[in-house]
Amino acid sequence: MGKSAEIVWSNCLEFIKDNIQEQAFKTWFLPIQPVKLQEKVLTIQVPSKFFFEWLEEHYIKLLKVSLEKELGKGAKLVYSIVMDQKYSGKDPYTVKIPSSNREKVQPQEVDAPMPIDSKKVKNPFIIPGLQKIKIDSQLNVNLNFNNFIEGESNRLARSAGKAVAKRPGGTSFNPLYIYGGVGLGKTHLAHAIGLEAKENHPDKTVLYVSTEKFIQQFIDAVTSNNRNDFIHFYQMIDILIMDDVHFLSGKKGTQEAFFHIFNHLHQKGNQIVLTSDKPPVDIQDMEQRLISRFKWGLSADLQVPDYDTRLAILNHKIEKDGIEMPEEIVEYIAKNIKPNIRELEGSLNSIIAQATLNKKEITIELTKKTLANFIGNSRKEISIDYIQRLVCDYFKIPIDQVQSKTRKRDVVQARQLAMYFAKKYTKASLSSIGSQIGNRDHATVLHACKTVANLSETDRVFRGYVEDLNRKISMG
Ligand code: ADP
Ligand code: MG
């Protein structure tokens, strides 16, 4: 009766433990389960494919020596991997991979698409069905380039997106960083890039993920001790599209993980597409090294669409949905609904709904009545100028003082309060707030916001000012 797999493996572990760092031992060897011993072949189960790659890349020599010590010359190792397809929702399955006897394996080889005549290629890594990870790209087919109307407001971002979809990783737009306010088309463009890249490069793995989902996955991974697997999974994507990266703000752990993913992908020349509601410099509570990476490629903004683009978007939607609507009405909507495309679509939808539900003809009266809500809301939007005047009024300071370079204490305070409320009540970026209030830079605005927040906590009189002003501003 020979030794059992358990005994052989536990002896191997003894040896391995003495030869590597404790942390590495815990991370890479403790999770391994011995499965089977047949003659001189030991099968071990590893938690993931990444694990297997890592062991092969870093510890193959050590594994080999330890195994030969136990089983003699000719000892062999086979990995058993449970392919937990949690990202595609399919059932897990197991693959068995013999260890290569090479000492260094480039992980990229594992991902290489299988050549047609692969049967002739003697490469233990080419296992049918495993050579390429199969994942659901999470793309919405309706958000394609055909449905994305081009206009002055999106020209740069759109053409950069097209270029990236044509040659992912092959342009200097890496990462492609698309930013703009809500409802201006970031998510739509992100999907369009993914869809077109996939069409142009069917062999590449494309993944769209919202940053919120990414954060949730990261938390889950950490909780279940799979942080490395999480990172490795993302490191295998050829074209990674991450929507709303500003949500990483303040999430230190996730930022760190994303940093490793970003570096790995960028080094491999894989494409990264990011969207955000702000330019990189304005994202708060974000590690500097990430912000600087966001700026490596191209930052392109989506602006508020002009009248012609709004009209074109409406007409496109009307045509696509097969709706009949007098041109006069379409023009009325395009003229009056300005803030973003989501509201534009929303107002169009509610007019159609009103007409359908009440079996009424779509008339200009019905349109005006229906849009009253939308228009009312958008008028309410508070401008930086308004805030500035209100603050100056309150402290009885002439507005040109706040706009000047003066460092007089009461003026500085008014300026900081104006900045703070502009940040709170408008969608303007820090740099745009700074340029409108006293021509300062974004760092000054950030500092002002922090100062106001701190003083409100420590100084009762000051808190009174903030509360007064807050009431006045929010009442419009
Ligand atoms: P964001 O992600 O910037 O908040 P979305 O991408 O969700 O905005 O866009 C809001 C809505 O406007 C979506 O329904 C989208 O399809 C539509 N949309 C945005 N940009 C365009 C465009 N250029 N052409 C047509 N529809 C657009
Ligand atoms: Mg979005």
Side-chain angles (χ1 to χ4, degrees), residues 148-380:
F148 190 82
I149 306 299
E150 182 174 4
E152 214 42 70
S153 54
N154 61 38
R155 190 149 297 153
L156 174 67
R158 183 185 168 279
S159 60
K162 280 258 174 193
V164 160
K166 197 168 179 189
R167 291 200 301 133
T171 67
S172 54
F173 311 152
N174 202 12
L176 173 60
Y177 184 101
I178 299 163
Y179 67 95
V182 300
L184 293 181
K186 300 181 296 293
T187 298
H188 189 143
L189 188 54
H191 281 273
I193 295 169
L195 290 167
E196 192 152 308
K198 230 179 128 166
E199 205 174 291
N200 291 338
H201 305 273
D203 56 316
K204 288 199 189 291
T205 315
V206 182
L207 180 66
Y208 166 91
V209 67
S210 71
T211 300
E212 283 154 303
K213 191 163 176 187
F214 183 86
I215 293 168
Q216 195 50 52
Q217 287 175 349
F218 176 73
I219 293 170
D220 291 348
V222 170
T223 318
S224 55
N225 251 326
N226 289 325
R227 184 177 177 276
N228 287 329
D229 282 359
F230 171 83
I231 292 176
H232 285 132
F233 170 78
Y234 277 96
Q235 287 179 339
M236 293 180 72
I237 306 299
D238 296 316
I239 301 163
L240 178 62
I241 303 168
M242 212 154 123
D243 202 1
D244 292 327
V245 288
H246 52 273
F247 284 130
L248 286 178
S249 148
K251 303 273 186 308
K252 233 174 160 321
T254 320
Q255 284 178 28
E256 164 102 27
F258 183 62
F259 179 76
H260 291 300
I261 293 165
F262 186 104
N263 281 346
H264 185 93
L265 294 180
H266 199 273
Q267 260 164 31
K268 280 211 296 187
N270 295 4
Q271 181 69 45
I272 302 156
V273 177
L274 307 169
T275 79
S276 168
D277 68 350
K278 313 178 180 60
V281 288
D282 284 351
I283 305 189
Q284 295 179 30
D285 288 324
M286 183 80 86
E287 277 194 57
Q288 205 48 48
R289 54 183 189 167
L290 264 182
I291 291 183
S292 75
R293 274 162 180 76
F294 290 171
K295 294 191 279 191
W296 275 356
L298 175 77
S299 301
D301 66 338
L302 288 172
Q303 295 155 3
V304 175
D306 52 30
Y307 173 73
D308 287 338
T309 313
R310 296 201 297 273
L311 196 62
I313 290 173
L314 285 172
N315 277 323
H316 173 80
K317 197 166 155 52
I318 288 167
E319 198 176 308
K320 196 177 71 165
D321 295 352
I323 300 154
E324 300 252 333
M325 198 179 266
E327 191 58 29
E328 171 197 31
I329 290 174
V330 186
E331 284 168 6
Y332 181 85
I333 305 171
K335 255 191 209 112
N336 287 283
I337 304 293
K338 293 174 188 162
N340 65 52
I341 299 163
R342 194 170 293 141
E343 285 195 26
L344 203 60
E345 288 185 341
S347 41
L348 179 67
N349 288 339
S350 46
I351 292 164
I352 296 166
Q354 283 291 334
T356 325
L357 290 174
N358 302 326
K359 300 209 171 24
K360 281 188 193 152
E361 204 189 329
I362 302 178
T363 60
I364 194 82
E365 280 67 42
L366 177 78
T367 305
K368 282 184 180 166
K369 227 172 111 195
T370 315
L371 291 197
N373 293 327
F374 284 89
I375 297 169
N377 282 342
S378 40
R379 266 222 195 100
K380 250 202 197 145

Side-chain angles (χ1 to χ4, degrees), residues 45 59 85 101 127 146 230 407:
Q45 184 176 313
Y59 300 113
Q85 309 195 90
N101 282 320
I127 312 258
N146 288 338
F230 171 83
R407 298 189 144 276

Side-chain angles (χ1 to χ4, degrees), residues 379-438:
R379 266 222 195 100
K380 250 202 197 145
E381 204 173 299
I382 297 165
S383 73
I384 295 180
D385 192 49
Y386 173 78
I387 291 170
Q388 216 167 168
R389 277 172 205 288
L390 207 128
V391 173
C392 288
D393 248 24
Y394 183 80
F395 289 113
K396 309 260 176 302
I397 295 173
I399 198 155
D400 53 351
Q401 288 271 300
V402 168
Q403 290 291 6
S404 74
K405 294 271 162 240
T406 181
R407 298 189 144 276
K408 278 205 289 206
R409 205 169 158 267
D410 55 337
V411 178
V412 170
Q413 183 177 306
R415 199 182 285 131
Q416 289 185 328
L417 279 162
M419 289 173 171
Y420 169 84
F421 284 114
K423 177 81 196 88
K424 181 164 177 189
Y425 282 105
T426 73
K427 293 187 194 105
S429 67
L430 292 175
S431 32
S432 129
I433 293 171
S435 70
Q436 290 179 68
I437 305 179

Side-chain angles (χ1 to χ4, degrees), residues 446-466:
L446 194 59
H447 176 71
C449 294
K450 284 188 182 147
T451 308
V452 171
N454 286 340
L455 276 178
S456 321
E457 278 182 16
T458 51
D459 180 334
R460 279 229 337 265
V461 178
F462 188 83
R463 183 162 63 234
Y465 296 156
V466 174

